[in-house]
Amino acid sequence: MVTQIMPLEESYEAVVIEPSPSSERAFLLANTLPSTLREMQEKHIIPVYSKDNEPLISHSDFIESALETVERLFPHESILEPSIRVSHPIKGRIPSARNKPAKDLEEWERTLYYERAAFVIEIPSIQEMVGDNQLSLTIGGVKAYNHDSLHQKKGVDEHFKVFIGFQNLVCTNLCVSTDGYLADLRVKSVAQLITAIEDLIRRYQLNKHLSLMRQLTEYYLTEQQFAQLIGRCRLYNFLPQAQKREIAPLLITDQQISMIARDYYRDHSFCREDDGRISLWKLYNLFTGALKSSYIDTFLDRNVNSLDFTEGILQTLQGLHTSEGWFLE
C-alpha cells in the first residue's frame, strides 16, 4: 500500500515490469492519433518564432523533460514508455517542391508537425486499489502551440499543462486532482520546465487524493437522484449568468452528459447497481470516461473539474452546504 509520494527515497518495493507503452488503450480519443517519442524526434519539424526563427520548446522536448524528471525522482520504480496522442496536423513542404501537386509529393518533400500533443507516463510499481479498480500512478502533460504567440521573438512565455495523478487501468480513465495539476504553466526554457514538473511531483498530496477517491466508493445516488443530476447538468448551461455564478462550475458538454446517461445503463465496469443506485466512484468514472471525447487542450481541465464536482456532490450527501447541492435539489 502506498503511503506517501516521497519520490526521493526508497519507500516501496518495486514490482518488476517489462517496459511497454503506458496504456494499451487510448486515454484520450476525440480526433487524436497515437504517436511515439521516436517518431516526434525524427519526423516532426519544430515550429519557430516568426521574428527571429528561434525554435519553441518542442513536443518531444516536453516529453523528454518529463520522462527524465520522473526517472530521476523515482529511481527504484518501474517506469513505462510514454503513451502519446497528437492532433491538428500542420502540413508543409520543402521549398524545392513548392510547385508540385500534392499527390506527386515524395515523402522526403513533406513536412509535418502537430499543433497539439498529450502524453502520460505510467509508474506501474506504485499502485492502489479503489473500488475493485487498480490505479497506477501517472505523470503527464499537454502542449498546444495555438496557446503560444508564434509571431513574437524567443523569450516570451510558452504554455504547458502538467499533472500527476492516477490512471484507472480498467478503462485508462485519468484521475487527476487540483493539487496534482498545473493548468497554465508558463516557462521560457527547458530548464524552467523541468523545475516546474519536479516541483509539482514533490508537492502532490497522494494520500489526500487516494482518501477522497476511497470516500467516493462509500456514497451512492439513487436512480431518482441520478436522473435529477443529469437533468440539472443539462439545464446548467442555460441558467441566467447571475444564478450560474452561485453554482459550482461544470465544464462538461451536453454530448458528454448524454454519454454519461447512456453508460449509466450500459458501461461494463461502471453501470448502475440492480436497484438503480450508483456509487459516486462509478459516477466519477462515467464522467472521466465521457471526457475522452474532449480535445487535447481541454480534457485535463474538464477531468479536474469532474473530481471537484463529484467531491461537491459527496459533501452534499454528507449534509454539508455546497453549491453543487443545486444539482440534487
Side-chain angles (χ1 to χ4, degrees), residues 57 65 155-158 160 185-199:
I57 298 172
S65 297
V156 299
D157 287 339
E158 299 182 42
F160 300 84
L185 171 58
R186 303 186 182 199
V187 299
K188 293 179 172 62
S189 67
V190 170
Q192 290 181 0
L193 180 60
I194 291 173
T195 299
I197 295 171
E198 178 175 341
D199 183 58

Side-chain angles (χ1 to χ4, degrees), residues 59-302:
H59 293 319
S60 59
D61 288 338
F62 182 23
I63 298 169
E64 286 175 336
S65 297
L67 183 58
E68 290 171 4
T69 303
V70 170
E71 289 173 342
R72 176 164 46 84
L73 296 181
F74 297 91
H76 306 292
E77 304 299 339
S78 174
I79 299 169
L80 303 188
E81 296 175 4
S83 177
I84 303 169
R85 308 290 296 185
V86 294
S87 73
H88 296 73
I90 309 296
K91 298 178 181 180
R93 58 177 70 190
I94 62 175
S96 62
R98 63 186 178 276
N99 296 321
K100 272 192 173 184
K103 63 183 179 61
D104 295 333
L105 286 173
E106 302 288 343
E107 190 62 34
W108 59 272
E109 294 174 319
R110 305 172 190 268
T111 64
L112 173 70
Y113 73 90
Y114 287 86
E115 183 181 71
R116 306 173 195 185
F119 71 94
V120 294
I121 300 168
E122 183 187 339
I123 308 178
S125 54
I126 301 180
Q127 294 183 339
E128 275 290 330
M129 294 294 293
V130 175
D132 296 325
N133 295 152
Q134 189 170 310
L135 308 184
S136 184
L137 188 65
T138 302
I139 294 92
V142 167
K143 171 64 179 173
Y145 288 124
N146 59 306
H147 293 166
D148 294 324
S149 301
L150 301 187
H151 62 282
Q152 299 286 339
K153 293 182 179 180
K154 183 74 173 179
V156 299
D157 287 339
E158 299 182 42
H159 298 74
F160 300 84
K161 297 179 180 183
V162 295
F163 73 89
I164 178 171
F166 284 88
Q167 183 168 241
N168 190 337
L169 301 184
V170 169
C171 51
T172 67
N173 290 356
L174 295 180
C175 304
V176 184
S177 69
T178 305
D179 290 336
Y181 181 43
L182 282 176
D184 187 16
L185 171 58
R186 303 186 182 199
V187 299
K188 293 179 172 62
S189 67
V190 170
Q192 290 181 0
L193 180 60
I194 291 173
T195 299
I197 295 171
E198 178 175 341
D199 183 58
L200 176 67
I201 293 174
R202 290 182 182 276
R203 288 187 294 104
Y204 172 58
Q205 299 182 51
L206 180 148
N207 286 332
K208 178 182 175 182
H209 191 186
L210 285 173
S211 175
L212 171 59
M213 291 191 290
R214 289 194 184 99
Q215 284 187 70
L216 297 181
T217 67
E218 300 169 0
Y219 286 80
Y220 289 77
L221 295 179
T222 65
E223 186 171 19
Q224 181 177 356
Q225 286 175 318
F226 177 81
Q228 174 77 18
L229 177 73
I230 292 298
R232 289 275 173 146
C233 286
R234 287 194 176 279
L235 291 175
Y236 174 80
N237 285 326
F238 302 100
L239 290 174
Q241 285 302 316
Q243 184 179 359
K244 202 172 182 180
R245 283 192 291 268
E246 298 175 358
I247 300 171
L250 181 65
L251 303 184
I252 197 166
T253 68
D254 227 30
Q255 181 182 13
Q256 290 164 343
I257 293 169
S258 296
M259 293 171 65
I260 292 169
R262 177 200 66 194
D263 290 342
Y264 167 76
Y265 293 102
R266 300 182 184 178
D267 189 273
H268 178 71
S269 302
F270 304 113
C271 66
R272 65 177 190 161
E273 305 293 329
D274 291 339
D275 60 2
R277 294 184 309 150
I278 185 169
S279 71
L280 293 189
W281 169 247
K282 287 187 174 181
L283 177 69
Y284 170 54
N285 277 277
L286 291 185
F287 268 76
T288 55
L291 295 179
K292 291 180 186 178
S293 64
S294 302
Y295 279 174
I296 279 177
D297 53 346
T298 61
F299 92 104
L300 274 176
D301 300 277
R302 291 173 178 171

